[in-house]
């Protein structure tokens, strides 16, 4: 007999995205992503981190004080979770797939999501700073123009979404 209480697909995939974020070595922001095909099979995961071969112990890669100096800004070097998930599944057809992300995608990640044919993005949280409001608006414009569906995980009212909230508490063990 099938058990009555088991994890929903949405919670399962968002949990994997969230757990992937635990691998990030960024001291300020840890994000994860999980790409799922039309048959609910995981075809790619990723987290924000340095490109393959860059030394995680080099402090220049992690500087976060001055974005105007591209040589001393982590934003020059760190690969976003969404792009790492895409790069990690290039052998798979991503057309029509869904991406679960811990943070609302930036504009360049949205471009990559659109280009590989991902058709739905489910995100956990969104940056609300004034600078990000315009970027978020540009992402929404691109997704709307290309029929990419974007949903906030919490607004989906998934019965077992509490599990992801509990994972957030576990994350404190790695900070």
């Amino acid at each position: 007999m099938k058990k009555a209480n088991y994890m929903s697909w949405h919670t399962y995939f968002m949990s994997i995205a969230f757990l992937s974020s635990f691998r990030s070595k960024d001291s300020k922001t840890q994000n994860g992503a999980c790409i799922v095909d039309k048959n609910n099979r995981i075809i790619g995961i990723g987290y924000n981190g340095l490109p393959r071969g860059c030394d995680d112990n080099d402090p220049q890669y992690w500087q976060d004080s001055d974005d105007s100096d591209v040589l001393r800004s982590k934003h020059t070097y760190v690969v976003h979770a969404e792009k790492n998930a895409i790069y990690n599944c290039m052998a798979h057809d991503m057309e029509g797939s869904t991406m679960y992300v811990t943070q609302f995608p930036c504009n360049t990640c949205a471009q990559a999501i659109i280009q590989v044919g991902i058709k739905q993005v489910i995100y956990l949280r969104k940056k609300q700073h004034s600078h990000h409001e315009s970027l978020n608006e540009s992402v929404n414009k691109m997704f709307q123009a290309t029929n990419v569906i974007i949903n906030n995980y919490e607004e989906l009212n998934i019965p077992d979404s509490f599990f992801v909230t509990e994972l957030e508490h576990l994350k404190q063990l790695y900070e």
Side-chain angles (χ1 to χ4, degrees):
M1 175 179 279
K2 178 176 128 181
K3 73 178 188 173
N5 191 17
Y6 54 92
M7 188 176 285
S8 68
W9 285 118
H10 285 307
T11 296
Y12 177 64
F13 298 133
M14 186 57 77
S15 297
I16 290 173
F18 199 80
L19 283 171
S20 296
S21 76
F22 286 30
R23 288 284 308 143
S24 175
K25 294 170 185 81
D26 188 329
S27 63
K28 187 174 179 184
T29 306
Q30 302 83 40
N31 288 312
C34 176
I35 302 174
V36 181
D37 72 9
K38 300 174 210 172
N39 298 310
N40 286 330
R41 290 180 303 194
I42 297 169
I43 58 174
I45 59 173
Y47 55 90
N48 60 314
L50 295 177
R52 186 174 295 151
C54 291
D55 183 3
D56 287 330
N57 295 311
D58 183 339
Q60 184 174 349
Y61 290 133
W62 302 109
Q63 292 182 25
D64 195 26
S65 58
D66 185 8
D67 280 344
S68 65
D69 182 353
V70 295
L71 292 176
R72 288 174 177 53
S73 171
K74 72 175 182 177
H75 298 103
T76 302
Y77 305 106
V78 173
V79 180
H80 288 187
E82 300 92 333
K83 287 184 180 179
N84 265 330
I86 289 169
Y87 300 150
N88 288 334
C89 73
M90 293 303 287
H92 295 278
D93 179 13
M94 290 176 266
E95 187 68 39
S97 60
T98 299
M99 179 181 276
Y100 291 79
V101 294
T102 56
Q103 185 167 283
F104 191 84
C106 72
N107 58 311
T108 60
C109 288
Q111 294 164 352
I113 287 165
I114 292 164
Q115 288 299 97
V116 299
I118 293 171
K119 285 299 177 191
Q120 183 175 18
V121 175
I122 299 173
Y123 68 94
L124 192 56
R125 59 185 169 268
K126 185 188 283 191
K127 286 186 176 180
Q128 299 295 338
H129 310 294
S130 59
H131 170 71
H132 290 286
E133 287 179 14
S134 295
L135 287 176
N136 293 344
E137 192 174 321
S138 71
V139 169
N140 284 327
K141 179 179 175 60
M142 286 188 284
F143 281 168
Q144 186 174 30
T146 57
N147 297 316
V148 173
I149 300 164
I150 183 120
N151 288 303
N152 177 278
Y153 176 76
E154 292 173 357
E155 292 175 5
L156 294 175
N157 296 318
I158 300 161
D160 60 352
S161 64
F162 66 89
F163 187 81
V164 173
T165 305
E166 292 301 316
L167 282 176
E168 291 189 79
H169 298 298
L170 284 176
K171 189 173 186 179
Q172 295 171 1
L173 296 173
Y174 294 96
E175 292 178 346

